Amino acid sequence: MSDERDILLSTKGLSGGYGRVPILHGIDLDVGENEVVGVLGHNGMGKTTLLKTLMGFLPATSGQIRYDQNDITRLPPNVRNQIGLGYVPQGRGIFPQLSVRDNLRFAWQDHGAGSEHDVIETVLADFPRLSRLLDREGGALSGGEQQLLSLARCLMGDPDFLLLDEPTEGIQPSIIEEMSETLLKLRQRRGLSILLVEQNFDFIADLSDRVLVLERGRITGELTRADLSDQSKVDQFLGFGAARGTRQNSARPQTLTTTSRTVLKRAETFAQPPSTTAASDPQPSVSTVTAMTIKRPTLAQMRSMAERFGMSLSDEDLSEYTEIIEPYMQAYDRLDAMPDNLPEVRYPRSPGYFPDPSDNPLNAWYVKTEVRGAPDGKLRGKRIALKDTICLAGVPLMNGSSIMEGYTPEIDATIVTRMLDAGAIIAGKAHCENFCLSGGSHTNAKGPIHNPYKRGYMAGGSSAGSAALVAAGEVDMAIAGDQGGSIRIPASNCGCYGMKPTHGLVPYTGAMPIEQTIDHLGPVTNNVADNALLLEVLAGEDGLDPRQYKPTVYSYTEALGRGAHGLRIGVLKEGFGHPNSEPDVEAKVMQAIERFRELGARVEDVSVPEHHTAMDAWTAITLEGLQDGMMWGNSTGTNYKGLFLPSMTDHMAQWKGRADELSHSLKACMFVGEHFQRQYRGRFYGKAQNIMRRCNERYLAALKQYDLLLMPTLPIKPQEHPPADCSLSLYVQLAFEMVPNTAPFNGGLPAMSIPCGFSEGLPIGLQLVGPHYGEMKIYQAAHAFEQSGDWRDM
């Protein structure tokens, strides 16, 4: 920093993060009066965390923040704002249903620089584009206009210091240039100081007096104003060759071989859209690249990739390939500049809050909030908890893992929108197991989730919080997810009704996946009627989920009250007598079988030996699929159409540098999945999918004789949580020992757990399985059983 400027904001040894997850490590920085300092870094490096900590939205775990010579380390955000700090968040944070005028009015402060009208007029003088849009809703603006509104709204408080978080993200080049010019004028006229975090190098270089490089929560370098024009120094941070020019019309020289010029010319021609005009007409061209926001591969990275591919290439060859691929890199630049195409968020909400232990005795809540939907509908007034794999825009999601902690999605999952449209109230996010890789409830990064009937015992995973909150009466309903039993296991452990619908009946869009062919979402409730009602709202195609293939949807509440008389129920022989089966569990299920007979159902034994084979097939599908898609694919993968959420992908990618934080159960799965993908090239995954199809054929053959199959949901009762210092073996055993009757039906058939009795003060459940889209028969039988008497007395 130049000596002439007095220091306005400084940090010394600043560290912070999200809860127990450290992100920032000993940050030292100074920003002087009327100085602009840029912070350059890729996603996941801690840029947003730094700004949130400076503004007070996240606490500093150590170190000091000083502003205008005063220690502000412990001051709340509103006080920091009053003394001169302004914050423009990533994602803009405007109110989409308020007009531009009302967004600005919302930010006016009566202790500011004038009346509300005067301040608005002053701000609009700097943002003439917004003057024409005052009566338009914020949600109807383009991404660039929203960013200008976010900046203008910040200036309503007359700050002396701006914290800007990725202002060019998803913004068209013309708006970026307009914003750059506006900020330069504001700096000159108002004497503003600015701390700017960005990935767009041109933008940050145009505005900044100097640029800091942030990597993994540490400042690792600094570029002075002179350095920013030194190609060799910039290349260290942008990548080999990328500093030749970050604008199409850059004057920086480019040295191309004759061959590479020819290839580039061909690539440019390939990128042109086909012309339908006469030869003399001007030809359409690819949009100009005004900012190289995508980091180019360095020579070392090119060499490393070639080695992974098994290619023998010289450095000269690699340099030429770097030039050859430049037009394709520019396609990525253009993609990066475009706004994404994501679903609209239609209902206002706050980010909620993390409840204190006294307000969260089962540790079942992650975040409490209250998002109100439509004033009327099938779910009017119903309070619903979401498993913390499901996106609720503006509300944190961590999927039970410290890796995802700090992530906030910008969309609502399809089912969230459907529930809100039906009048529901989203009461918050329920804790789940660490990346959902456990049928216990002991792997969550925030601690174990307790059984509502017996503290210290498993609530069942992975949707532990969802079932525990329903059973405890804290919500009316909950959404759970199921890849190996994660709806039915906690429903059984907590004495609830949990339906895993037919694969693809409920859209998975906007939920964090494990493996597409086994991913399911479904309802958990305290009674059958609520379960059927909620499924009516959830079910149906959304056009965004590749798991769906024209699902057949019914009015499930019409199955209620039909009774069990005449139902044909096959008691699956292979569902009993597992090596760990407990006699009291099987005895309660046998009593329930007699109850069905008393209700007039025809109940007979049936054998499907492939039930055990299905468990083996599920193992290969799950372990290799999760490793390929969830881990190496960063929860996204490729080769399908549907809704993608890049922000989730970016955040999930952090696991590669933080793998020690993964749960023991997930690590065990990764070792198996990686071994078979690497050593056996994925052949067993394919074979398992083929065999699972045959297993389903055998189940369906039995279901031609019977309406439903019946068996214990789990072979065992809820177990005790292990001690914190338990062995790895015990930890993993308690995560997977209960799945032999649930996992086989993640091949796609619908299955529901219904409570059928108590033993030793803990609930026991039985499982009903039907054919594809056979939920009506399941609800019919489950409702008849529920109406025959209180399961707690059975």
Side-chain angles (χ1 to χ4, degrees):
M1 192 191 77
S2 111
D3 294 334
E4 305 89 55
R5 293 191 179 98
D6 292 330
I7 294 173
L8 185 58
L9 181 140
S10 65
T11 70
K12 298 296 181 186
L14 181 65
S15 297
Y18 298 88
R20 294 178 292 175
V21 182
I23 303 295
L24 305 177
H25 307 280
I27 300 288
D28 292 339
L29 64 83
D30 297 323
V31 182
E33 291 183 1
N34 198 27
E35 184 183 27
V36 179
V37 175
V39 180
L40 184 67
H42 292 291
N43 286 329
M45 295 296 104
K47 304 188 304 298
T48 294
T49 305
L50 174 60
L51 294 195
K52 285 185 174 181
T53 305
L54 292 175
M55 196 64 204
F57 293 114
L58 293 173
T61 55
S62 63
Q64 186 183 60
I65 306 170
R66 295 185 68 83
Y67 181 75
D68 199 17
Q69 307 305 316
N70 297 309
D71 186 350
I72 65 168
T73 313
R74 304 302 171 198
L75 293 182
N78 63 308
V79 176
R80 299 189 198 202
N81 178 249
Q82 291 170 9
I83 63 175
L85 283 174
Y87 175 55
V88 180
Q90 184 180 23
R92 299 140 202 168
I94 66 165
F95 296 98
Q97 293 178 311
L98 294 183
S99 67
V100 169
R101 179 182 283 103
D102 286 341
N103 267 278
L104 294 175
R105 292 181 63 205
F106 189 87
W108 177 74
Q109 302 172 22
D110 59 7
H111 56 76
S115 69
E116 178 184 297
H117 177 269
D118 291 343
V119 173
I120 289 178
E121 289 299 313
T122 300
V123 168
L124 289 177
D126 293 317
F127 296 88
R129 182 188 292 261
L130 296 180
S131 298
R132 306 187 301 270
L133 305 171
L134 283 175
D135 295 321
R136 187 175 297 181
E137 288 188 352
L141 303 181
S142 70
E145 291 166 343
Q146 289 182 0
Q147 187 64 61
L148 291 175
L149 174 57
S150 182
L151 180 56
R153 184 181 61 181
C154 177
L155 293 174
M156 288 291 296
D158 195 27
D160 300 313
F161 195 111
L162 288 185
L163 301 169
L164 300 184
D165 193 353
E166 301 261 17
T168 71
E169 184 178 43
I171 304 302
Q172 294 185 357
S174 61
I175 300 285
I176 292 175
E177 292 186 7
E178 180 179 338
M179 193 185 315
S180 179
E181 293 171 3
T182 300
L183 286 169
L184 287 171
K185 290 176 182 176
L186 288 170
R187 176 189 180 184
Q188 183 177 9
R189 186 160 59 253
R190 297 192 181 201
L192 285 174
S193 300
I194 301 173
L195 185 64
L196 165 69
V197 303
E198 258 298 344
Q199 294 185 69
N200 183 327
F201 183 80
D202 265 345
F203 186 78
I204 208 169
D206 285 348
L207 286 172
S208 302
D209 298 300
R210 55 197 173 93
V211 174
L212 306 177
V213 181
L214 188 67
E215 293 185 297
R216 301 192 183 279
R218 294 179 170 86
I219 293 175
T220 59
E222 179 174 332
L223 292 167
T224 66
R225 192 73 192 166
D227 293 335
L228 293 174
S229 58
D230 185 326
Q231 180 177 335
S232 62
K233 290 187 177 180
V234 172
D235 275 348
Q236 297 175 26
F237 303 106
L238 285 186
F240 175 71
R244 290 180 304 221
T246 57
R247 291 187 174 85
Q248 186 84 354
N249 60 356
S250 173
R252 290 173 182 166
Q254 295 189 25
T255 304
L256 299 179
T257 64
T258 302
T259 303
S260 62
R261 283 195 191 96
T262 303
V263 174
L264 284 174
K265 183 64 178 175
R266 289 174 182 166
E268 289 164 359
T269 303
F270 173 77
Q272 303 284 343
S275 174
T276 58
T277 60
S280 60
D281 291 341
Q283 296 297 305
S285 61
V286 177
S287 58
T288 302
V289 177
T290 63
M292 278 186 178
T293 58
I294 299 302
K295 189 172 184 178
R296 272 52 175 173
T298 65
L299 183 60
Q301 289 169 333
M302 292 289 286
R303 190 182 302 114
S304 176
M305 285 191 282
E307 290 171 357
R308 289 202 302 274
F309 299 154
M311 299 174 181
S312 299
L313 296 171
S314 67
D315 284 356
E316 183 180 352
D317 292 334
L318 293 172
S319 297
E320 188 164 342
Y321 273 113
T322 302
E323 296 168 349
I324 290 169
I325 66 175
E326 176 58 26
Y328 309 110
M329 302 300 290
Q330 292 182 16
Y332 280 86
D333 288 326
R334 290 188 288 272
L335 280 174
D336 194 39
M338 298 176 194
D340 207 339
N341 180 26
L342 298 175
E344 176 190 8
V345 177
R346 299 209 291 263
Y347 296 93
R349 77 284 309 274
S350 72
Y353 66 96
F354 301 113
D356 293 328
S358 61
D359 193 29
N360 193 17
L362 302 176
N363 194 35
W365 288 108
Y366 174 42
V367 180
K368 283 190 173 184
T369 188
E370 187 167 291
V371 182
R372 291 185 171 271
D376 204 0
K378 287 185 177 182
L379 300 178
R380 179 181 178 182
K382 295 285 189 181
R383 292 175 54 78
I384 301 176
L386 305 177
K387 182 177 183 178
D388 191 39
T389 56
I390 298 166
C391 289
L392 181 62
V395 178
L397 179 157
M398 68 175 284
N399 197 357
S401 171
S402 59
I403 304 294
M404 290 301 293
E405 193 171 11
Y407 172 63
T408 301
E410 64 270 42
I411 67 164
D412 285 340
T414 295
I415 60 167
V416 170
T417 301
R418 288 181 177 178
M419 290 186 291
L420 291 172
D421 285 346
I425 300 168
I426 305 300
K429 308 293 291 297
H431 269 320
C432 62
E433 291 299 276
N434 201 310
F435 281 126
C436 298
L437 263 295
S438 169
S441 62
H442 59 297
T443 72
N444 186 286
K446 297 290 189 181
I449 297 99
H450 297 278
N451 191 294
Y453 288 97
K454 204 169 187 179
R455 186 173 180 81
Y457 282 72
M458 299 288 190
S462 62
S463 311
S466 296
L469 291 171
V470 168
E474 295 198 41
V475 292
D476 302 303
M477 304 168 165
I479 301 296
D482 196 314
Q483 283 84 14
S486 293
I487 294 173
R488 294 156 289 158
I489 295 167
S492 179
N493 277 10
C494 294
C496 300
Y497 296 85
M499 169 67 85
K500 181 199 75 66
T502 303
H503 187 251
L505 177 62
V506 174
Y508 204 86
T509 306
M512 199 165 178
I514 289 182
E515 211 281 342
Q516 281 192 28
T517 65
I518 61 171
D519 291 331
H520 300 74
L521 295 175
V524 174
T525 60
N526 270 323
N527 59 70
V528 177
D530 276 354
N531 205 284
L533 178 67
L534 184 49
L535 186 61
E536 283 186 357
V537 172
L538 302 177
E541 197 167 14
D542 75 344
L544 296 172
D545 183 6
R547 300 162 186 80
Q548 296 193 287
Y549 22 87
K550 299 190 182 303
T552 305
V553 179
Y554 298 96
S555 297
Y556 302 105
T557 51
E558 294 180 7
L560 308 179
R562 293 183 179 180
H565 187 79
L567 283 176
R568 299 166 300 161
I569 299 176
V571 177
L572 185 67
K573 175 184 175 184
E574 288 76 16
F576 295 78
H578 296 289
N580 62 339
S581 289
E582 295 178 338
D584 53 347
V585 171
E586 296 199 345
K588 287 294 182 181
V589 174
M590 295 305 294
Q591 290 176 20
I593 289 169
E594 290 305 313
R595 178 67 63 95
F596 273 113
R597 287 195 176 101
E598 293 168 5
L599 293 171
R602 193 184 86 194
V603 184
E604 299 173 352
D605 291 343
V606 63
S607 176
V608 181
E610 287 80 6
H611 186 62
H612 301 304
T613 305
M615 182 67 204
D616 293 336
W618 172 86
T619 298
I621 292 167
T622 301
L623 303 192
E624 293 189 52
L626 77 86
Q627 184 66 359
D628 191 38
M630 185 174 85
M631 303 312 294
W632 292 127
N634 300 319
S635 84
T636 301
T638 58
N639 286 283
Y640 65 92
K641 292 182 179 180
L643 179 71
F644 289 76
L645 195 52
S647 62
M648 180 182 288
T649 304
D650 283 342
H651 207 99
M652 178 62 185
Q654 295 181 78
W655 78 265
K656 297 179 181 71
R658 298 168 57 185
D660 287 342
E661 297 174 42
L662 301 173
S663 69
H664 303 316
S665 51
L666 176 52
K667 289 174 184 174
C669 294
M670 290 173 65
F671 281 124
V672 177
E674 184 75 359
H675 175 74
F676 280 93
Q677 282 282 303
R678 290 295 183 101
Q679 298 300 316
Y680 293 94
R681 304 161 296 283
R683 71 184 303 272
F684 282 106
Y685 175 89
K687 187 173 183 179
Q689 289 284 12
N690 292 337
I691 289 173
M692 182 63 87
R693 190 169 62 249
R694 185 175 68 198
C695 295
N696 275 343
E697 291 169 358
R698 299 296 189 267
Y699 289 130
L700 291 171
L703 286 165
K704 287 182 179 178
Q705 300 177 31
Y706 301 98
D707 296 307
L708 301 168
L709 302 179
L710 184 154
M711 70 212 75
T713 305
L714 313 175
I716 58 176
K717 298 185 299 298
Q719 303 296 294
E720 282 191 84
H721 287 140
D725 60 350
C726 76
S727 66
L728 294 178
S729 297
L730 178 60
Y731 182 101
V732 176
Q733 173 193 324
L734 291 170
F736 299 125
E737 64 183 347
M738 72 296 290
V739 301
N741 281 347
T742 56
F745 299 108
N746 282 83
L749 298 179
M752 184 179 191
S753 180
I754 66 175
C756 65
F758 264 114
S759 181
E760 299 178 1
L762 292 163
I764 292 169
L766 68 82
Q767 181 173 226
L768 297 172
V769 179
H772 292 118
Y773 307 113
E775 285 82 4
M776 290 287 282
K777 289 291 186 184
I778 294 177
Y779 281 132
Q780 179 182 345
H783 189 251
F785 185 83
E786 177 191 32
Q787 297 301 302
S788 71
D790 191 332
W791 64 269
R792 298 169 185 82
D793 300 327
M794 293 179 182

